[in-house]
Amino acid sequence: MPANDPHTHDHEHGSELSEMQLRVRALESILTDKGYVDPAALDQIVENVETKIGPHIGARVIARAWADPEFKRRLLADATAAVNSVAEFDPVGAHLIAVENTPQTHNVVVCTLCSCYPWPVLGLPPVWYKSAPYRSRTVIDPKGVLADFGVTLPSGTDIRIWDSTAETRFLVVPMRPVGTEGWSEEQLASLVTRDSMVGTGLPKSPKESQVEGAR
Amino acid sequence: MTNSVHDMGGMHGFGSVEPEANEPVFHADWEKRVYALQRGMGATGLWTIDGGRASIENLPPLAYLDASYYKRWFLGLERRVVAHGLVGDDEIAAGHALRPGIRLNRKMSLEDAKKRSFAHFDRPAPGAARFKAGDQVRTKNIHPPTHTRLPRYARGKLGTVEAVRGCHVFPDSAALGAGDNPQWLYTVVFAARELWGEEADPSIKVSIEAFEPYLSPA
């Protein structure tokens, strides 16, 4: 990390870590003692985000869209309704919008004002999504940001940035990798990375997936 | 406040994006507690999501930039519970409660926490939408001293309405505790050249989600 980056996590360790541990513990005890929060409910909230929600949810939705053109059509028309119509999918909140990558256009999602992110399908956002470099540069230098992720798009691809400035939330539908004809939804889901659903990555190719599986 | 450092779109100097391999959901135990406290206290209904955002945006700029994401949440929450009279400054200083709490109408129970519930921000429309997909619009050049969701880089710019997203709670009002004041919401798309000048890459477009009061016909 550059020395001038205030969002490095390095300063979280050491002195800030113990300072924050103490301050958070104090506030939690104040709010608990005053009867405003139930510690068991707080533990449950943490458990939900640590064990229940995550990008595996979005990956199943994308795999279904790749495998089922009718589902994909409904997903692009109204993502909340489409996802919530499938009983085996985890429910998502209102105002989810799916945006489709095509050979012509690549989509990238950002929140320049805070860190809005489609939690119900992707889980909590990674640190880089909440960082000043990502929030500042994506709207003015998206190709530079993609290069930071090692992503180079074929020349002639247009880039579309979605700044999440309201309660609408965006899920990128990446292009289905070639060489996956006849794959099951489960196999397809294994190719869908978190970053590919934000637009800062591409899905794994069958070959990449195979190499990883062999490790 | 509006023109503060949280409005980062287009700023230079923050360096490169550094993805972390195999990133954990949280990096420290205190982050988990801050996350849970934020959700738990949010459930009291005493402030809106935009009121929460505003308390973070109102941090002094240097404090905002110096803090990690969850530290900002913590600082905002600490300010909010004091501002709403739930906790005294003396209690924050003491590090423990000095008085019983005030009575709340709502408190999150374990059962509530187990349920997956989602907030809805769409509201019945008070009138017809002023714009439709395909309309040319110009964003207003406004600088309200209070919370707004119109980023600086997209003010006074010519764009095209791409979609009408329904009528939603208006953050600029909700943040002030002034009610939902529902407004039509649009996806408005701009050419990068409109936002960043003639040198910008013509293959790039940027959209924002813009509430009707942010827009004028063009």
Side-chain angles (χ1 to χ4, degrees):
Chain A
M1 288 246 168
N4 63 349
D5 178 6
H7 291 260
T8 168
H9 258 253
D10 295 349
H11 70 169
E12 299 263 307
H13 303 296
S15 62
E16 191 187 87
L17 181 59
S18 52
E19 183 210 329
M20 287 309 295
Q21 272 175 332
L22 294 172
R23 289 180 70 179
V24 173
R25 194 177 297 156
L27 185 64
E28 181 173 347
S29 76
I30 293 170
L31 297 174
T32 305
D33 289 349
K34 290 171 92 73
Y36 300 149
V37 289
D38 172 358
L42 299 183
D43 293 343
Q44 182 67 46
I45 293 167
V46 173
E47 192 187 320
N48 289 349
V49 289
E50 283 202 307
T51 65
K52 295 199 167 77
I53 64 165
H56 61 281
I57 297 174
R60 294 182 68 197
V61 173
I62 300 302
R64 173 69 59 93
W66 285 346
D68 177 350
E70 169 58 18
F71 178 75
K72 181 165 142 186
R73 189 193 63 72
R74 289 193 290 121
L75 185 73
L76 294 171
D78 182 341
T80 298
V83 173
N84 288 343
S85 73
V86 180
E88 70 257 35
F89 288 169
D90 292 85
V92 298
H95 328 307
L96 183 66
I97 295 166
V99 294
E100 185 186 19
N101 284 348
T102 65
Q104 289 75 43
T105 304
H106 180 84
N107 296 284
V108 182
V109 181
V110 67
C111 173
T112 61
L113 296 174
C114 46
S115 301
C116 298
Y117 189 78
W119 293 8
V121 278
L122 298 186
L124 296 186
V127 167
W128 60 257
Y129 185 86
K130 303 177 285 192
S131 72
Y134 188 73
R135 288 168 53 192
S136 61
R137 279 176 61 214
T138 301
V139 288
I140 192 169
D141 180 23
K143 286 185 179 170
V145 168
L146 289 176
D148 289 346
F149 285 88
V151 172
T152 312
L153 300 170
S155 67
T157 309
D158 292 340
I159 298 180
R160 167 64 179 276
I161 308 301
W162 299 80
D163 192 355
S164 310
T165 57
E167 295 305 330
T168 37
R169 294 287 173 270
F170 300 97
L171 175 70
V172 174
V173 181
M175 286 190 284
R176 178 172 175 164
V178 294
T180 56
E181 293 73 20
W183 281 38
S184 69
E185 280 185 32
E186 196 182 346
Q187 288 173 304
L188 289 170
S190 72
L191 302 179
V192 183
T193 62
R194 177 196 62 203
D195 292 1
S196 74
M197 295 182 277
V198 181
T200 56
L202 302 173
K204 287 180 233 172
S205 67
K207 200 173 163 187
E208 283 171 304
S209 169
Q210 216 170 30
V211 171
E212 275 180 20
R215 270 185 203 143
Chain B
M1 68 191 102
T2 173
N3 292 350
S4 194
V5 291
H6 71 281
D7 186 354
M8 291 181 168
M11 286 174 78
H12 287 143
F14 286 114
S16 55
V17 183
E18 308 227 351
E20 178 184 347
N22 303 313
E23 184 174 334
V25 177
F26 295 102
H27 290 77
D29 280 343
W30 66 263
E31 294 186 344
K32 302 179 189 180
R33 304 318 288 177
V34 170
Y35 175 82
L37 287 170
Q38 174 95 321
R39 300 298 294 249
M41 289 306 295
T44 64
L46 292 173
W47 50 79
T48 62
I49 190 165
D50 287 290
R53 289 188 182 117
S55 68
I56 292 173
E57 294 162 6
N58 287 335
L59 291 171
L62 292 180
Y64 182 99
L65 290 175
D66 192 49
S68 66
Y69 179 73
Y70 287 111
K71 184 172 181 183
R72 270 181 221 144
W73 274 33
F74 172 80
L75 295 172
L77 179 63
E78 201 179 58
R79 285 175 156 227
R80 227 172 300 134
V81 294
V82 171
H84 282 79
L86 298 172
V87 175
D89 272 325
D90 54 346
E91 294 176 302
I92 298 288
H96 55 86
L98 300 171
R99 290 172 294 278
I102 60 170
R103 198 181 144 72
L104 300 179
N105 289 329
R106 276 193 278 165
K107 176 177 169 179
M108 186 187 277
S109 67
L110 177 59
E111 288 312 305
D112 295 334
K114 282 180 181 166
K115 272 183 266 170
R116 303 284 302 280
S117 62
F118 300 100
H120 287 246
F121 295 87
D122 47 338
R123 298 289 182 271
R130 188 174 181 194
F131 304 109
K132 61 183 188 305
D135 284 356
Q136 295 283 296
V137 290
R138 187 173 290 280
T139 52
K140 290 182 183 167
N141 182 14
I142 52 169
H143 298 268
T146 50
H147 181 73
T148 187
R149 296 293 289 181
L150 179 60
R152 260 178 290 182
Y153 75 84
R155 294 179 190 164
K157 304 297 185 188
L158 185 65
T160 305
V161 172
E162 191 178 67
V164 185
R165 301 296 185 189
C167 195
H168 285 226
V169 172
F170 187 41
D172 303 43
S173 300
L176 304 176
D180 289 348
N181 185 21
Q183 301 290 338
W184 286 95
L185 178 66
Y186 306 91
T187 298
V188 176
V189 63
F190 307 91
R193 286 186 166 183
E194 172 68 11
L195 300 176
W196 312 112
E198 289 306 307
E199 299 292 305
D201 188 330
S203 69
I204 296 169
K205 290 192 172 80
V206 178
S207 64
I208 63 167
E209 302 291 287
F211 292 87
E212 197 167 276
Y214 300 163
L215 304 173
S216 302

